[in-house]
Amino acid sequence: GEDVEQSLFLSVREGDSSVINCTYTDSSSTYLYWYKQEPGAGLQLLTYIFSNMDMKQDQRLTVLLNKKDKHLSLRIADTQTGDSAIYFCAEITPGEAGGYNKLIFGAGTRLAVHP
Amino acid sequence: EAEVAQSPRYKITEKSQAVAFWCDPISGHATLYWYRQILGQGPELLVQFQDESVVDDSQLPKDRFSAERLKGVDSTLKIQPAELGDSAMYLCASSFSTSGNEQFFGPGTRLTVL
């Protein structure tokens, strides 16, 4: 079945780059996503990448996709204390009903940014 | 900026009681999702609507959970009776496209069952 795995915790110093890694299993996923969740809040869509791309850059965020290894990463440049949150990787996969897709999420990586 | 609205934000109930959560998706979004997020885990899809029709409820515990979207706009998720294991965050999301490629989430309802 579908499975998305992430490391659970990452600690970085303010101003450094953060790299959060994810592996997924569904090779037919057309889109892969990164969501951010702050304490007690819902999920904020940060960025996503189409499966025919290797890289996508959006301001401080860089997404790298290695389809061969089914590996996705999110790099945050110049990490700030406001970036402290849980980051979820997700893949889109066909749902039970034809023509409809669903998201499969990893367990999330807690990013802690310290001075 | 358009957002998904959910209420209540927090709910505390005793086991065997009934609870209900409400979601209002972004205007114009035909597809609506309910997810359950257990503490320390990622969200898991419970039910998906396309307009007023359920298109995926394979992970919904139908003996106690029900969901409806009568007019194809806002939606209600109900649990009756609640059990201790139902304590979780219940998240609603919506998307414009039936492919679900961009799902936008509400703030969630944190349920605690005592």
Side-chain angles (χ1 to χ4, degrees):
Chain A
E2 314 94 357
D3 194 20
V4 177
E5 295 192 354
Q6 305 177 234
S7 52
L8 294 181
F9 188 74
L10 177 65
S11 178
V12 299
R13 186 173 301 179
E14 192 174 14
D16 287 352
S17 292
S18 308
V19 179
I20 302 171
N21 295 301
C22 166
T23 57
Y24 61 96
T25 56
D26 188 351
S27 58
S28 66
S29 287
T30 52
Y31 289 91
L32 295 139
Y33 302 82
W34 286 104
Y35 281 85
K36 175 182 179 183
Q37 186 177 37
E38 298 186 14
L43 274 68
Q44 174 193 354
L45 178 60
L46 278 180
T47 186
Y48 60 92
I49 188 167
F50 190 51
S51 59
N52 70 351
M53 299 170 64
D54 298 324
M55 184 182 83
K56 180 180 179 182
Q57 188 153 2
D58 184 0
Q59 299 182 339
R60 293 191 297 121
L61 306 179
T62 302
V63 178
L64 294 178
L65 175 60
N66 181 328
K67 278 197 74 174
K68 174 176 171 290
D69 295 336
K70 300 193 190 105
H71 182 269
L72 184 74
S73 68
L74 174 70
R75 179 178 181 269
I76 306 172
D78 186 25
T79 312
Q80 302 298 308
T81 54
D83 295 323
S84 295
I86 301 176
Y87 291 80
F88 291 93
C89 170
E91 63 175 351
I92 199 157
T93 196
E96 297 298 316
Y100 296 96
N101 296 323
K102 64 179 182 180
L103 290 177
I104 303 295
F105 287 87
T109 298
R110 182 178 296 274
L111 175 65
V113 183
H114 56 86
Chain B
E1 181 176 304
E3 294 181 341
V4 177
Q6 288 189 248
S7 68
R9 292 293 311 278
Y10 304 92
K11 180 70 178 177
I12 299 174
T13 191
E14 294 184 343
K15 64 180 182 180
S16 79
Q17 295 299 303
V19 293
F21 315 129
W22 177 80
C23 171
D24 191 12
I26 294 172
S27 178
H29 282 196
T31 311
L32 184 148
Y33 312 80
W34 282 101
Y35 288 85
R36 177 170 60 185
Q37 184 182 18
I38 295 169
L39 192 63
Q41 299 181 20
E44 291 183 305
L45 181 69
L46 289 175
V47 61
Q48 178 180 348
F49 288 90
Q50 178 63 31
D51 299 310
E52 67 278 5
S53 300
V54 173
V55 296
D56 188 345
D57 62 358
S58 57
Q59 300 304 308
L60 189 70
K62 299 183 191 61
D63 56 335
R64 296 184 300 108
F65 286 63
S66 64
E68 60 183 17
R69 194 184 183 199
L70 293 175
K71 297 182 180 178
V73 180
D74 58 336
S75 174
T76 302
L77 177 70
K78 296 179 181 177
I79 308 175
Q80 183 173 17
E83 296 181 353
L84 295 177
D86 297 331
S87 293
M89 175 81 90
Y90 290 83
L91 294 161
C92 179
S94 69
S95 67
F96 178 77
S97 165
T98 57
S99 65
N101 288 342
E102 279 193 81
Q103 295 185 25
F104 297 91
F105 283 77
T109 296
R110 168 74 66 189
L111 173 66
T112 302
V113 182
L114 303 176

